[in-house]
Amino acid sequence: MSPSLSLPPLVEPAAELTTDEVRRYSRHLIIPDVGMTGQKRLKNAKVLVIGAGGLGSPALLYLAAAGVGTLGIAEFDEVDESNLQRQVIHGQSDIGRPKALSARDSIAEINPLVEVVVHDERLDNDNVMRIFEGYDLIVDGTDNFATRYMVNDAAYFLGIPYVWGSIYRFDGQASVFAPKQVEDAPCYRCLYPEPPPPGMVPSCAEGGVLGVLCASIGSIQVNEAIKLLTGAGEPAVGKLVIYDALELEWRKLKVRKDPNCRLCGEHADVTELIDYDAFCGAISEEAADAAAGSTISVTQLEHMLKEREEGSRDFVLVDVREPNEYEINQIPGSVLIPKGEFLNGNALEQLPPVDSGTQVVMHCKSGVRSAETLAIVQGAGYDDAVHVGGGVVAWVNQIDPSQPAY
Amino acid sequence: MAVSVRIPTILRTYTAGESEVGADGTTLAEVLDDLERHHGGIRARVLDDEGGLRRFVNVYVGNDDVRFLDGLQTPTPDGTQISIIPAVAGG
């Protein structure tokens, strides 16, 4: 058994609670572990939530309701209809609005005593340190590896602890990273030294996420945040909480500090912010090479399909998405061969032979997966193979708005 | 089966949807070989082309990350629970 780990509260208590505040927070005040002092600490706390999306929505709502005095929202995106399945801080009338402003309005309704600071900009190397500075704690609910590594590094350089959470389909993970607060405590890079290569791990936009999973993991993040701010209980420092929603199973695994960690290890060589897009790569080099000069637009594709119908052109249009995506929408005349079939080598025998001269045209949802399969197909000898930039998303937007987008 | 292996959602395409599968082997390397025999393709998601553990997938034997034990040579006594934990970034 590892020794129990409690941390001093991150925040000093505010001078007092008003009568209104005592009434509002009474259910907290009568818990011995929170009490007046704990609630005053929450009142004095400044917490930055990164992303007002799946995880950020429940996190912001519960942090606001709990009485965290200052809540920062770092979010540049706008509310889309496809967000509402899980991003419960936004509503129907918010579609098209900046998420940061929509979230601010919801917080004002939940708890007008909270001061909200809106950072309506995309986090990057130029602004991240400025935005983080002054916060006691960060809650990370971003949706991509590049930002996650940037958040980890910036928080480390500034000495700000943070609560990390991540979700995919039915799986959730959460932890607390406080390498500057706790001796031998790990950072995110100790847990995952490198991001997966592009194309290997799908995003939620590609692979999907169970809406309510956001609440499961987002609420765990708030739970840890409140513990850190008030000093109650044992925070998940050096622990990885994993949740399997299908099996309804929570587990807690050990996360060790990596002595070879490039950020917080003994011979660290990451001493300032790095190029996170290059570190994580939006698209693999092979795919980028293949796509250069072999990408057609949806308008070109529409024209080619007409020619094929008239008999003046021959090609096979391959949709490399998953079957459940194919059910939602499709480009007419396409055949479905999911990307995995290309990775395991089974796809090639489903294509017309190389020497038949039939051109292969590939598409996916947005053009990332089809660039990956394009590299494979070109490597197999289909020299004139192309893929469709923007994928079925562009097709629905520009050619056939009658089909649903997702 | 000597050990049980927890499979994350993202790799269940290799196990016909099973969240936990049995495998034989006295070390993690042997367990992965056995997994590969029954669920072709899964080992390449855990190991890189040189046969080393990928740095964005963590394998736990019991409660511990094998990177801090003996890596692929970590012993897997009968009844061991092995977990494969991939990095995910969704939010």
Side-chain angles (χ1 to χ4, degrees), chain A residues 40 59 68 120 164 177 200 216 265 293 309 327:
Chain A
K40 286 177 185 173
V68 168
D120 189 7
W164 170 87
F177 297 117
M200 194 158 226
S216 308
E309 215 164 279
E327 277 178 27

Side-chain angles (χ1 to χ4, degrees), chain A residues 50-64:
Chain A
I50 304 171
L55 294 172
S57 287
L60 284 163
L61 289 172
Y62 273 106
L63 288 167

Side-chain angles (χ1 to χ4, degrees), chain A residues 74-94:
Chain A
E75 173 67 80
F76 65 92
D77 207 0
E78 290 174 357
V79 180
D80 182 83
E81 198 170 1
S82 70
N83 299 147
L84 301 181
Q85 158 259 19
R86 65 196 178 286
Q87 300 181 14
V88 294
I89 204 167
H90 313 295
Q92 186 68 26
S93 61
D94 295 315

Side-chain angles (χ1 to χ4, degrees), chain A residues 46-321:
Chain A
K46 296 185 172 74
V47 177
L48 175 65
V49 176
I50 304 171
L55 294 172
S57 287
L60 284 163
L61 289 172
Y62 273 106
L63 288 167
V68 168
T70 304
L71 268 180
I73 309 171
E75 173 67 80
F76 65 92
D77 207 0
E78 290 174 357
V79 180
D80 182 83
E81 198 170 1
S82 70
N83 299 147
L84 301 181
Q85 158 259 19
R86 65 196 178 286
Q87 300 181 14
V88 294
I89 204 167
H90 313 295
Q92 186 68 26
S93 61
D94 295 315
I95 292 172
R97 293 184 68 203
K99 283 186 182 178
L101 300 184
S102 160
R104 179 199 60 192
D105 293 351
S106 298
I107 290 170
E109 187 63 22
I110 295 280
N111 188 348
L113 305 177
V114 174
E115 187 183 331
V116 176
V117 182
V118 169
H119 305 281
D120 189 7
E121 51 191 321
R122 189 189 288 265
L123 278 188
D124 60 31
N125 283 17
D126 295 329
N127 62 22
V128 66
M129 302 292 268
R130 168 175 58 78
I131 289 174
F132 281 16
E133 210 154 12
Y135 285 102
D136 301 304
L137 181 70
I138 290 168
V139 175
D140 178 14
T142 51
D143 62 357
N144 64 86
F145 283 104
T147 312
R148 287 184 178 282
Y149 281 95
M150 178 173 67
V151 168
N152 180 68
D153 295 359
Y156 179 77
F157 294 135
L158 291 166
I160 305 173
Y162 79 103
V163 187
W164 170 87
S166 194
I167 49 177
Y168 177 74
R169 289 193 177 164
F170 293 98
D171 284 344
Q173 303 180 9
S175 189
V176 173
F177 297 117
K180 290 277 178 77
Q181 280 69 32
V182 182
E183 205 185 332
D184 289 333
C187 78
Y188 178 57
R189 284 175 182 267
C190 298
L191 176 62
Y192 295 116
E194 283 172 18
M200 194 158 226
V201 175
S203 67
C204 289
E206 286 175 345
V209 61
L210 183 70
V212 71
L213 181 66
C214 302
S216 308
I217 298 301
S219 65
I220 288 291
Q221 290 182 278
V222 174
N223 187 60
E224 292 307 298
I226 289 174
K227 284 157 60 184
L228 289 161
L229 296 168
T230 61
E234 247 185 79
V237 174
K239 302 274 190 297
L240 175 65
V241 178
I242 55 174
Y243 176 53
D244 179 335
L246 286 179
E247 299 289 315
L248 193 57
E249 187 181 61
W250 291 93
R251 298 173 62 208
K252 211 161 68 171
L253 302 169
K254 207 180 288 174
V255 185
R256 289 180 199 269
K257 186 181 194 75
D258 182 354
N260 299 315
C261 177
R262 293 187 58 191
L263 181 71
C264 69
E266 287 153 22
H267 307 290
D269 62 349
V270 176
T271 54
E272 56 184 28
L273 299 175
I274 63 169
D275 183 342
Y276 294 95
D277 286 332
F279 182 54
C280 298
I283 187 168
S284 73
E285 260 173 61
E286 294 82 7
D289 287 347
S294 301
T295 302
I296 61 167
S297 69
V298 286
T299 322
Q300 281 171 298
L301 176 64
E302 186 189 26
H303 188 69
M304 287 167 65
L305 284 165
K306 273 196 191 118
E307 288 181 341
R308 185 170 79 170
E309 215 164 279
E310 292 159 7
S312 60
R313 186 188 268 275
D314 186 27
F315 67 92
V316 55
L317 178 61
V318 182
D319 185 335
V320 303
R321 297 177 299 160

